[in-house]
Amino acid sequence: MKNESSNNFDWMVVQPSLSEQFFLETSIREIEDCDNIDVLSQLCVAMTKSQHHQTQLLRQAVGHIALLEAVFFDATQKP
C-alpha cells in the first residue's frame, strides 16, 4: 500500500467557514474602531501571549504528527 500522505500537506491548508470569516472580520473591525489606548495595549499583550502559546502548541502537534506518519509509513513499507 502506497502512503501518499507522506508527500501530501493538504491537511495544513486552512479553509475557514463563512461564519468563521464573518467572526474574524467583526473582531477586526471592533479593534480598528477602538480609540482607547489602554484597551488596545491590553489586547496586544493578550494576543502576544496567546500567539506564543499557539505557536508552541502547533510546533509540538506537527512534530507529533510527523512522528506518527513516519511510524505509519515505516509500518506500511514492511513486507
Side-chain angles (χ1 to χ4, degrees):
M1 179 175 151
K2 184 179 179 183
N3 182 7
E4 293 182 36
S5 67
S6 64
N7 295 322
N8 187 350
F9 293 98
D10 289 345
W11 63 270
M12 293 181 68
V13 175
V14 176
Q15 297 177 336
S17 68
L18 287 177
S19 62
E20 290 170 328
Q21 291 177 38
F22 178 75
F23 179 78
L24 175 61
E25 186 61 31
T26 301
S27 297
I28 289 169
R29 289 181 186 200
E30 287 178 13
I31 293 167
E32 289 176 338
D33 292 342
C34 182
D35 293 328
N36 187 327
I37 204 75
D38 291 330
V39 169
L40 290 174
S41 176
Q42 291 172 6
L43 178 61
C44 287
V45 168
M47 290 176 70
T48 299
K49 288 179 180 180
S50 177
Q51 189 268 337
H52 178 74
H53 174 78
Q54 289 175 6
T55 297
Q56 288 184 297
L57 181 62
L58 282 171
R59 185 179 301 126
Q60 289 173 199
V62 170
H64 188 71
I65 291 167
L67 177 63
L68 291 174
E69 285 191 348
V71 169
F72 177 76
F73 181 77
D74 186 50
T76 60
Q77 298 303 310
K78 293 182 180 178

